[in-house]
Amino acid sequence: MNDIDAIAALQDPVRRRLYEYVAAQGREVGRNEAAEATGVARTLAAHHLDRLAEAGLLDTGSRRLTGRSGPGAGRPAKVYMRARAERAVSLPARDYRTAAELLAEAAEQAGLDAGLCAAARRRGEALRGSAAPCGGLEEAMEMLAARGYEPHLEEAGGAGVDRGAEGAGEEAVLVRMRNCPFHAVAERFPPLVCGMNLALLEGLLGTSGPVRARMDARPGQCCVVLESSKNNGD
């Protein structure tokens, strides 16, 4: 199925709602969960989820949702998660990806990392304009959601970074991004593009406020995370 047909599959409002829910979870989602979350019947949810899988927008698998194994654990259920494949439509046809990859290759070979990061930081500052540095995580998440990063708070138990004696009573709260807007080029030129991405967010959010961007690469997610100090005594 071509990109136009795949994207056209999202025209149905129920189907689009189901896709957006599954994509936002960052994990496998069963039919019952998706149906309940979107307020539709399970059979209708199953139909639309399978259509999304046929369109290549969702990947499918199977696992036991009970968390048990062995006899009596029940049959594996069909689960869905957002497909890794990227879909884009441009009318008339454009090929910015090839241009970006060629420019990235030339910059990497010429050792222009520092110059690229400086340009990215200036662009971030220009996007922020005259506004003060970002005032908190909620504001930062809104800004980055609007730019396609899909930010989400790290779940309890995985977020806290103890600062020890240097920052007694404080804990670092992390925001991770489920999407990298530069994913296709970053896969081929990770040091160059991830460094550019970090510099862009430093310029956009500012470096003197309570929120800072730093590198913390994880498979399938953006290489940059946001960190904000949370005082345990508040």
Side-chain angles (χ1 to χ4, degrees):
M1 181 175 290
N2 63 39
D3 285 0
I4 293 178
D5 291 336
I7 293 172
L10 295 172
Q11 183 176 2
D12 183 283
V14 173
R15 196 172 301 157
R16 181 165 183 172
R17 201 157 70 240
L18 284 162
Y19 172 79
E20 289 175 343
Y21 176 77
V22 173
Q25 305 316 302
R27 56 175 172 78
E28 295 174 334
V29 174
R31 289 170 168 175
N32 288 340
E33 178 187 345
E36 183 177 350
T38 55
V40 299
R42 183 186 184 280
T43 52
L44 182 62
H47 166 74
H48 284 302
L49 289 168
D50 285 338
R51 288 292 301 275
L52 289 166
E54 291 170 8
L57 296 171
L58 295 180
D59 289 335
T60 63
S62 63
R63 66 178 177 87
R64 290 187 173 92
L65 299 177
T66 61
R68 303 195 305 271
S69 60
R75 297 175 58 186
K78 194 169 187 178
V79 292
Y80 305 81
M81 64 186 309
R82 180 167 59 184
R84 298 283 296 168
E86 184 176 314
R87 301 285 186 171
V89 173
S90 176
L91 299 173
R94 298 286 188 261
D95 191 5
Y96 300 114
R97 175 174 173 175
T98 296
E101 290 179 347
L102 288 171
L103 290 168
E105 182 177 356
E108 188 173 74
Q109 290 179 354
L112 299 178
D113 304 54
L116 177 61
C117 288
R121 192 170 289 106
R122 288 195 299 270
R123 175 58 65 91
E125 291 169 350
L127 291 171
R128 176 159 54 94
S130 59
C134 184
L137 278 182
E138 185 174 348
E139 180 184 346
M141 291 175 70
E142 289 179 1
M143 292 173 65
L144 297 188
R147 305 197 67 82
Y149 283 89
E150 298 183 6
H152 69 103
L153 282 170
E154 181 80 75
E155 292 183 5
V161 178
D162 188 358
R163 293 173 177 267
E166 181 183 349
E170 291 187 348
E171 183 180 280
V173 180
L174 296 186
V175 170
R176 295 192 181 273
M177 272 73 81
R178 292 197 173 108
N179 183 52
C180 172
F182 317 110
H183 173 73
V185 187
E187 276 197 319
R188 289 196 58 189
F189 308 96
L192 182 77
V193 178
C194 290
M196 177 200 76
N197 188 19
L198 175 62
L200 177 69
L201 295 188
E202 286 176 341
L204 181 64
L205 302 173
T207 56
S208 60
V211 179
R212 73 180 185 98
R214 65 173 175 84
M215 289 286 193
D216 188 8
R218 283 191 178 183
Q221 296 187 345
C222 178
C223 59
V224 179
V225 299
L226 304 184
E227 182 178 275
S228 178
S229 297
K230 178 179 179 182
N231 195 305
N232 293 331
D234 289 347

